[in-house]
Amino acid sequence: MTGIGLGGLGLVVAGFVVDRDRQRKQERLQGQEGRFNVTSLGDQKERASAMVAAGAVLAGIGVSLGTGLLVASLRRSTPVKGRRASVQVAARMGELMLIGRF
């Protein structure tokens, strides 16, 4: 669930990037709307808004539920002799992994 939440955060960032790209294109075309078809810029704005909204919902639900489940399982895990529950964060090129051992 935490991974889904982090994916949602990525979707929010992508939505902001798409909107910023749309704004730059619109600024470049200022005053030349008659020569170019600018209706696709409106579509991009709607798409960016939808991406941000969906990403925010996924991020909120995923991170909160994932973190809650992780904490609950850490508290309920019965310790095995010589072994304890642990959480590790591993960073690799292009990815971030959260590993829980119980």
Side-chain angles (χ1 to χ4, degrees), residues 14-16 18-19 22 43-53:
F16 284 131
V18 168
D19 190 50
R22 180 201 59 83
D43 294 340
Q44 275 187 340
K45 182 175 184 173
E46 291 175 14
R47 188 177 327 129
S49 297
M51 288 172 69
V52 169

Side-chain angles (χ1 to χ4, degrees), residues 11-85:
L11 191 58
V12 169
V13 170
F16 284 131
V17 169
V18 168
D19 190 50
R20 182 64 188 143
D21 181 54
R22 180 201 59 83
Q23 288 175 352
R24 286 184 179 154
K25 287 178 184 176
Q26 194 171 18
E27 289 169 1
R28 279 187 280 161
L29 295 175
Q30 196 74 24
Q32 300 177 12
E33 289 85 2
R35 292 180 50 199
F36 299 101
N37 184 6
V38 293
T39 56
S40 66
L41 293 178
D43 294 340
Q44 275 187 340
K45 182 175 184 173
E46 291 175 14
R47 188 177 327 129
S49 297
M51 288 172 69
V52 169
V57 169
L58 279 175
I61 292 172
V63 169
S64 61
L65 285 177
T67 304
L69 288 171
L70 187 61
V71 168
S73 64
L74 280 174
R75 287 183 180 170
R76 291 183 185 194
S77 66
T78 57
V80 178
K81 185 177 179 182
R83 217 171 152 204
R84 295 176 16 174

